Amino acid sequence: MIRFEGVGKRYADGTVAVHDLSLDVAEGQLVTLVGPSGCGKTTTMMMVNRLVEPTSGRIEVDGEDIAHVDPVALRRRIGYVIQQVGLFPHRTVLDNTATVLSLLGTKRGRARERARELLDLVGLDPETFGPRYPHQLSGGQRQRVGVARALAADPPVLLMDEPFGAVDPVVRERLQNQFVDLQRRLRKTVLFVTHDIEEAVRLGDRMAVYGPGRIEQFDTPQTVLGRP
Ligand code: ADP
Ligand code: ADP
C-alpha cells in the first residue's frame, strides 16, 4: 500500500535527513517508525503526503507514484494526526469534526451526522463532547478529536506523528489500547512515528527501527525484541 524505493531527502541547508530508504507497508498493516530524535522518522512520514518532497527515489501509495498525484487529492486519501492537533478554537468539537466533511462537499446535515459517528468511534460521547469547545477538553480528548477528524474522509492510509506523545502516561496507555482496537476494526494502513519503544512494540504489526537517516531493522516486535 505504501512503498519507498531508494528514497533520499536532503534539505536545502544540506542536512541529509533520509538516505536510500526502502520500505514496503502492506495494506492494513500498522507500522511503527521508532528511533531517537533526529533520525528521519518525521521526514519519512511527511514525504508520503507530500508535505516534504524527496530529493531522490520514488514513493508509491496504492500502486501510484505520488510524484504524479496532486497533493490536495493525495491528502484526501491520507489522514494525518500530529502531536498537537490544531483544532479551530471558536468552533465546537462537532463542528471541528464536521468541517472537514463539508470541505469535501458533504451536505451539512449528513456531515454532522457522520461527525457524531466519528466522535463515538474514538470514544467521545457526541452528546457530551460535541457541543464543547477545544479549550474545554483534556489533552487526550483533543487528540481523540484529531483522530476522528483524520478519519472523516475514510482514508485508506493514516499517518500518525507522535499523536499520544504529549499526554500523560496513564491516558496514553488507554489511547494506545483503544487505537489498537480501532485499527483492528477499520484495517487502515498506518505509519506511526514514536520515539517510545514500548509504544512501538504495543502498537506495531511491524517496527521500522531507525538509525541516523536509515531503517536498521524492519520486523515484527517479537523479532526486534529477540523473543521467540
Ligand atoms: P525525527 O522525526 O526522527 O526526529 P526528522 O525527520 O524530524 O527526524 O529530522 C531528521 C533530520 O533532518 C534532523 O537532523 C533534522 O534536524 C533535519 N531536518 C528536519 N526538518 C528540516 C528542515 N526543514 N530543514 C533542515 N533540516 C531539517
Ligand atoms: P482522555 O481522553 O484524556 O483519557 P477521558 O475520557 O479519560 O479523557 O476523560 C478525561 C476527563 O473527562 C475525566 O476527568 C473524565 O471524568 C471526564 N469525562 C470523561 N467522559 C465524560 C463524560 N461522558 N461526561 C463528562 N465528563 C467526562
Side-chain angles (χ1 to χ4, degrees), residues 156-178:
V157 174
L158 272 185
L159 305 179
M160 312 207 39
D161 196 343
E162 305 231 16
F164 311 141
V167 295
D168 73 68
V170 175
V171 173
R172 188 185 311 149
E173 194 170 328
R174 186 160 61 231
L175 288 173
Q176 288 167 348
N177 291 334
Q178 291 174 348

Side-chain angles (χ1 to χ4, degrees), residues 91-167:
R91 290 191 189 163
T92 64
V93 164
L94 191 72
D95 279 344
N96 263 285
T97 312
T99 296
V100 192
L101 291 159
S102 300
L103 291 174
L104 294 171
T106 307
K107 293 223 170 61
R108 186 178 153 84
R110 174 68 193 124
R112 291 172 72 81
E113 183 188 324
R114 170 89 176 124
R116 283 189 199 93
E117 292 166 11
L118 287 161
L119 291 176
D120 200 39
L121 197 64
V122 299
L124 290 176
D125 171 30
E127 302 307 320
T128 307
F129 292 98
R132 291 196 191 173
Y133 287 88
H135 75 271
Q136 295 171 312
L137 302 180
S138 70
Q141 289 162 353
R142 275 197 288 274
Q143 293 308 102
R144 288 171 195 267
V145 178
V147 175
R149 216 176 33 176
L151 291 170
D154 199 19
V157 174
L158 272 185
L159 305 179
M160 312 207 39
D161 196 343
E162 305 231 16
F164 311 141
V167 295

Side-chain angles (χ1 to χ4, degrees), residues 1-226:
M1 187 64 166
I2 306 173
R3 168 172 291 168
F4 287 75
E5 287 172 12
V7 172
K9 174 62 187 179
R10 179 195 292 270
Y11 283 105
D13 67 359
T15 305
V16 176
V18 169
H19 178 71
D20 192 21
L21 182 137
S22 294
L23 175 68
D24 246 315
V25 180
E27 186 173 354
Q29 236 177 24
L30 196 169
V31 172
T32 50
L33 312 185
V34 61
S37 188
C39 57
K41 306 183 298 295
T42 294
T43 299
T44 302
M45 175 157 285
M46 290 173 86
M47 288 190 289
V48 177
N49 58 8
R50 295 192 62 185
L51 290 175
V52 169
E53 295 293 341
T55 37
S56 57
R58 166 190 165 95
I59 301 171
E60 286 178 9
V61 172
D62 203 8
E64 244 184 316
D65 180 348
I66 61 168
H68 307 306
V69 181
D70 169 55
V72 175
L74 184 68
R75 284 169 211 152
R76 284 188 185 171
R77 288 155 45 191
I78 301 178
Y80 188 41
V81 187
I82 59 174
Q83 189 173 81
Q84 302 282 349
V85 303
L87 301 177
F88 299 113
H90 304 298
R91 290 191 189 163
T92 64
V93 164
L94 191 72
D95 279 344
N96 263 285
T97 312
T99 296
V100 192
L101 291 159
S102 300
L103 291 174
L104 294 171
T106 307
K107 293 223 170 61
R108 186 178 153 84
R110 174 68 193 124
R112 291 172 72 81
E113 183 188 324
R114 170 89 176 124
R116 283 189 199 93
E117 292 166 11
L118 287 161
L119 291 176
D120 200 39
L121 197 64
V122 299
L124 290 176
D125 171 30
E127 302 307 320
T128 307
F129 292 98
R132 291 196 191 173
Y133 287 88
H135 75 271
Q136 295 171 312
L137 302 180
S138 70
Q141 289 162 353
R142 275 197 288 274
Q143 293 308 102
R144 288 171 195 267
V145 178
V147 175
R149 216 176 33 176
L151 291 170
D154 199 19
V157 174
L158 272 185
L159 305 179
M160 312 207 39
D161 196 343
E162 305 231 16
F164 311 141
V167 295
D168 73 68
V170 175
V171 173
R172 188 185 311 149
E173 194 170 328
R174 186 160 61 231
L175 288 173
Q176 288 167 348
N177 291 334
Q178 291 174 348
F179 185 69
V180 168
D181 288 344
L182 190 67
Q183 161 62 6
R184 289 213 180 99
R185 276 189 282 154
L186 303 181
R187 299 313 298 174
K188 302 290 180 189
T189 305
V190 185
L191 285 186
F192 192 110
V193 166
T194 180
H195 60 256
D196 176 355
I197 185 93
E198 282 181 34
E199 181 168 72
V201 167
R202 186 173 292 144
L203 297 185
D205 298 315
R206 293 276 190 290
M207 295 167 67
V209 183
Y210 275 70
R214 49 192 293 260
I215 294 172
E216 296 188 331
Q217 197 179 0
F218 180 59
D219 226 315
T220 61
Q222 289 77 3
T223 306
V224 171
L225 294 176

